[in-house]
Amino acid sequence: MRSQDRSGLAEMRHALIGAVASAMLVFVCGTIYAQNAPQIVDRLTGAASPMSENPAPPLARPIVNDKRVMRNYPEQPPIIPHSIENYQLTLETNRCLDCHRRQYTEGSGAPMISVTHFMDRDGQVLADVTPRRYFCTECHVQQTDAAPLVPNTFTDILVVGSEKR
């Protein structure tokens, strides 16, 4: 009996110790997480079931005063300060370019589109808007009176700096 191989018992003991250690680790991590749990934010879709068919909420009213607003951060695409309802934006037609293309800005009074919109991905300047910048509403959105979806306490660094003076 003394010469029996007990390696199976040793392996089982190691597995049991590993399982107990893993359970303790999960318990400790769960306790830490519960103390520092992220705040649960209400779903943007409201209380409706995610798989039910719900009517879309009404669109926010566009602000059409043609006033340009300050950008919130560097490199933010400018917000569209006029109505774009029924604007045609297809492969053949881009109504935005009727006013914002360089040769039309003097007559329309609209700001010219950025020079970056004429550069291809290799930095080469083209004669017309590059295809990857052709669909304006991929980056630019119409200004509306929509309420923010989540609270925002952002303060511009320039505003904070001017308050310290």
Side-chain angles (χ1 to χ4, degrees), residues 23-53:
M24 288 175 56
L25 181 64
V26 167
F27 177 75
V28 169
C29 290
T31 304
I32 292 170
Y33 179 78
Q35 292 172 355
N36 302 318
Q39 182 182 5
I40 303 299
V41 178
D42 293 335
R43 290 192 358 230
L44 296 177
T45 56
S49 170
M51 297 306 289
S52 63
E53 289 193 25

Short mmCIF file of all heavy atoms in Angstrom, two decimals, residues 23-53:
data_model
loop_
_atom_site.label_atom_id
_atom_site.label_comp_id
_atom_site.label_asym_id
_atom_site.label_seq_id
_atom_site.Cartn_x
_atom_site.Cartn_y
_atom_site.Cartn_z
N ALA A 23 -12.47 31.31 -6.97
CA ALA A 23 -13.72 31.78 -6.37
C ALA A 23 -13.48 32.97 -5.46
O ALA A 23 -14.25 33.94 -5.46
CB ALA A 23 -14.39 30.63 -5.59
N MET A 24 -12.38 32.94 -4.70
CA MET A 24 -12.06 34.07 -3.82
C MET A 24 -11.75 35.32 -4.65
O MET A 24 -12.17 36.43 -4.31
CB MET A 24 -10.88 33.72 -2.91
CG MET A 24 -11.25 32.72 -1.82
SD MET A 24 -9.85 32.17 -0.82
CE MET A 24 -9.19 33.70 -0.22
N LEU A 25 -11.04 35.15 -5.74
CA LEU A 25 -10.71 36.28 -6.61
C LEU A 25 -11.97 36.89 -7.21
O LEU A 25 -12.12 38.11 -7.23
CB LEU A 25 -9.76 35.81 -7.72
CG LEU A 25 -9.31 36.89 -8.70
CD1 LEU A 25 -8.47 37.94 -7.97
CD2 LEU A 25 -8.51 36.28 -9.83
N VAL A 26 -12.88 36.06 -7.68
CA VAL A 26 -14.15 36.55 -8.23
C VAL A 26 -14.93 37.30 -7.16
O VAL A 26 -15.49 38.38 -7.41
CB VAL A 26 -14.98 35.38 -8.82
CG1 VAL A 26 -16.40 35.81 -9.11
CG2 VAL A 26 -14.31 34.83 -10.06
N PHE A 27 -14.96 36.77 -5.95
CA PHE A 27 -15.69 37.42 -4.86
C PHE A 27 -15.09 38.78 -4.54
O PHE A 27 -15.79 39.77 -4.40
CB PHE A 27 -15.67 36.52 -3.61
CG PHE A 27 -16.32 37.14 -2.42
CD1 PHE A 27 -17.71 37.22 -2.34
CD2 PHE A 27 -15.57 37.68 -1.39
CE1 PHE A 27 -18.32 37.82 -1.25
CE2 PHE A 27 -16.17 38.27 -0.30
CZ PHE A 27 -17.55 38.34 -0.23
N VAL A 28 -13.76 38.86 -4.44
CA VAL A 28 -13.09 40.13 -4.12
C VAL A 28 -13.32 41.14 -5.24
O VAL A 28 -13.66 42.30 -4.99
CB VAL A 28 -11.58 39.89 -3.88
CG1 VAL A 28 -10.82 41.19 -3.81
CG2 VAL A 28 -11.38 39.10 -2.60
N CYS A 29 -13.16 40.71 -6.48
CA CYS A 29 -13.38 41.63 -7.62
C CYS A 29 -14.83 42.10 -7.66
O CYS A 29 -15.11 43.26 -7.94
CB CYS A 29 -13.00 40.95 -8.93
SG CYS A 29 -11.23 40.72 -9.10
N GLY A 30 -15.77 41.21 -7.39
CA GLY A 30 -17.18 41.59 -7.37
C GLY A 30 -17.47 42.61 -6.29
O GLY A 30 -18.23 43.56 -6.48
N THR A 31 -16.85 42.44 -5.13
CA THR A 31 -17.03 43.40 -4.03
C THR A 31 -16.47 44.76 -4.42
O THR A 31 -17.11 45.80 -4.20
CB THR A 31 -16.34 42.88 -2.75
OG1 THR A 31 -16.86 41.59 -2.44
CG2 THR A 31 -16.57 43.82 -1.60
N ILE A 32 -15.29 44.79 -5.01
CA ILE A 32 -14.69 46.06 -5.45
C ILE A 32 -15.56 46.71 -6.51
O ILE A 32 -15.82 47.92 -6.48
CB ILE A 32 -13.26 45.82 -5.96
CG1 ILE A 32 -12.35 45.41 -4.80
CG2 ILE A 32 -12.71 47.06 -6.66
CD1 ILE A 32 -10.98 44.92 -5.24
N TYR A 33 -16.03 45.92 -7.48
CA TYR A 33 -16.87 46.46 -8.54
C TYR A 33 -18.17 47.03 -7.98
O TYR A 33 -18.63 48.09 -8.39
CB TYR A 33 -17.18 45.38 -9.58
CG TYR A 33 -18.06 45.86 -10.69
CD1 TYR A 33 -17.54 46.62 -11.73
CD2 TYR A 33 -19.43 45.56 -10.71
CE1 TYR A 33 -18.34 47.06 -12.76
CE2 TYR A 33 -20.24 46.01 -11.73
CZ TYR A 33 -19.69 46.75 -12.75
OH TYR A 33 -20.49 47.20 -13.76
N ALA A 34 -18.77 46.34 -7.01
CA ALA A 34 -20.03 46.81 -6.43
C ALA A 34 -19.85 48.15 -5.73
O ALA A 34 -20.74 49.00 -5.75
CB ALA A 34 -20.58 45.77 -5.45
N GLN A 35 -18.69 48.37 -5.15
CA GLN A 35 -18.43 49.64 -4.47
C GLN A 35 -18.20 50.76 -5.47
O GLN A 35 -18.48 51.91 -5.19
CB GLN A 35 -17.23 49.50 -3.54
CG GLN A 35 -17.50 48.60 -2.36
CD GLN A 35 -16.23 48.32 -1.56
OE1 GLN A 35 -15.15 48.72 -1.95
NE2 GLN A 35 -16.39 47.62 -0.44
N ASN A 36 -17.64 50.45 -6.62
CA ASN A 36 -17.31 51.46 -7.64
C ASN A 36 -18.10 51.25 -8.92
O ASN A 36 -17.62 51.56 -10.00
CB ASN A 36 -15.81 51.40 -7.96
CG ASN A 36 -14.96 51.61 -6.74
OD1 ASN A 36 -15.26 52.48 -5.94
ND2 ASN A 36 -13.92 50.82 -6.59
N ALA A 37 -19.29 50.72 -8.80
CA ALA A 37 -20.09 50.38 -9.98
C ALA A 37 -20.42 51.64 -10.78
O ALA A 37 -20.68 52.70 -10.21
CB ALA A 37 -21.38 49.69 -9.57
N PRO A 38 -20.37 51.55 -12.11
CA PRO A 38 -20.73 52.72 -12.93
C PRO A 38 -22.21 53.05 -12.76
O PRO A 38 -23.04 52.18 -12.48
CB PRO A 38 -20.44 52.26 -14.36
CG PRO A 38 -20.44 50.78 -14.30
CD PRO A 38 -20.03 50.39 -12.92
N GLN A 39 -22.50 54.33 -12.91
CA GLN A 39 -23.88 54.77 -12.79
C GLN A 39 -24.66 54.30 -14.01
O GLN A 39 -24.21 54.45 -15.14
CB GLN A 39 -23.92 56.30 -12.70
CG GLN A 39 -25.30 56.85 -12.53
CD GLN A 39 -25.29 58.38 -12.49
OE1 GLN A 39 -24.26 59.00 -12.68
NE2 GLN A 39 -26.44 58.95 -12.28
N ILE A 40 -25.82 53.73 -13.79
CA ILE A 40 -26.65 53.25 -14.88
C ILE A 40 -27.43 54.43 -15.45
O ILE A 40 -28.11 55.15 -14.73
CB ILE A 40 -27.62 52.15 -14.40
CG1 ILE A 40 -26.86 50.99 -13.76
CG2 ILE A 40 -28.51 51.68 -15.54
CD1 ILE A 40 -25.91 50.28 -14.69
N VAL A 41 -27.31 54.62 -16.75
CA VAL A 41 -28.00 55.71 -17.44
C VAL A 41 -29.22 55.14 -18.13
O VAL A 41 -29.17 54.05 -18.71
CB VAL A 41 -27.05 56.37 -18.47
CG1 VAL A 41 -27.74 57.47 -19.23
CG2 VAL A 41 -25.80 56.89 -17.79
N ASP A 42 -30.33 55.85 -18.08
CA ASP A 42 -31.54 55.39 -18.75
C ASP A 42 -31.28 55.20 -20.23
O ASP A 42 -30.50 55.95 -20.84
CB ASP A 42 -32.68 56.41 -18.57
CG ASP A 42 -33.14 56.49 -17.13
OD1 ASP A 42 -32.97 55.50 -16.40
OD2 ASP A 42 -33.67 57.55 -16.75
N ARG A 43 -31.94 54.22 -20.82
CA ARG A 43 -31.79 53.98 -22.25
C ARG A 43 -32.31 55.18 -23.02
O ARG A 43 -33.31 55.79 -22.65
CB ARG A 43 -32.56 52.73 -22.66
CG ARG A 43 -31.92 51.48 -22.14
CD ARG A 43 -32.48 50.21 -22.74
NE ARG A 43 -33.56 50.38 -23.67
CZ ARG A 43 -34.70 49.72 -23.60
NH1 ARG A 43 -34.89 48.83 -22.65
NH2 ARG A 43 -35.64 49.90 -24.48
N LEU A 44 -31.67 55.48 -24.12
CA LEU A 44 -32.09 56.60 -24.95
C LEU A 44 -33.44 56.33 -25.62
O LEU A 44 -34.14 57.24 -26.00
CB LEU A 44 -31.03 56.90 -26.02
CG LEU A 44 -29.67 57.36 -25.47
CD1 LEU A 44 -28.69 57.56 -26.61
CD2 LEU A 44 -29.80 58.61 -24.65
N THR A 45 -33.79 55.06 -25.74
CA THR A 45 -35.04 54.71 -26.39
C THR A 45 -36.21 54.73 -25.42
O THR A 45 -37.34 54.46 -25.81
CB THR A 45 -34.94 53.32 -27.03
OG1 THR A 45 -34.56 52.37 -26.03
CG2 THR A 45 -33.94 53.31 -28.16
N GLY A 46 -35.94 54.99 -24.14
CA GLY A 46 -37.02 55.03 -23.16
C GLY A 46 -37.34 53.65 -22.63
O GLY A 46 -36.53 52.73 -22.70
N ALA A 47 -38.55 53.49 -22.11
CA ALA A 47 -38.93 52.25 -21.45
C ALA A 47 -39.45 51.19 -22.42
O ALA A 47 -39.75 50.08 -22.01
CB ALA A 47 -40.01 52.55 -20.40
N ALA A 48 -39.58 51.52 -23.69
CA ALA A 48 -40.13 50.58 -24.66
C ALA A 48 -39.20 49.38 -24.83
O ALA A 48 -37.99 49.49 -24.67
CB ALA A 48 -40.33 51.27 -26.00
N SER A 49 -39.78 48.27 -25.16
CA SER A 49 -39.01 47.06 -25.42
C SER A 49 -38.11 47.29 -26.64
O SER A 49 -38.56 47.85 -27.65
CB SER A 49 -39.96 45.90 -25.68
OG SER A 49 -39.24 44.79 -26.16
N PRO A 50 -36.86 46.87 -26.56
CA PRO A 50 -35.95 47.14 -27.68
C PRO A 50 -36.36 46.46 -28.98
O PRO A 50 -36.00 46.92 -30.05
CB PRO A 50 -34.59 46.60 -27.20
CG PRO A 50 -34.82 45.92 -25.92
CD PRO A 50 -36.20 46.20 -25.45
N MET A 51 -37.14 45.38 -28.92
CA MET A 51 -37.52 44.67 -30.14
C MET A 51 -38.91 45.05 -30.65
O MET A 51 -39.36 44.55 -31.66
CB MET A 51 -37.46 43.15 -29.91
CG MET A 51 -36.05 42.65 -29.58
SD MET A 51 -34.81 43.12 -30.78
CE MET A 51 -35.27 42.10 -32.15
N SER A 52 -39.59 45.96 -29.94
CA SER A 52 -40.92 46.35 -30.40
C SER A 52 -40.82 47.45 -31.44
O SER A 52 -39.83 48.16 -31.52
CB SER A 52 -41.76 46.83 -29.21
OG SER A 52 -41.19 47.99 -28.65
N GLU A 53 -41.86 47.56 -32.25
CA GLU A 53 -41.88 48.61 -33.26
C GLU A 53 -42.53 49.84 -32.64
O GLU A 53 -43.71 49.84 -32.31
CB GLU A 53 -42.64 48.15 -34.49
CG GLU A 53 -41.89 47.10 -35.27
CD GLU A 53 -42.49 46.87 -36.64
OE1 GLU A 53 -43.14 47.80 -37.18
OE2 GLU A 53 -42.31 45.78 -37.17
#
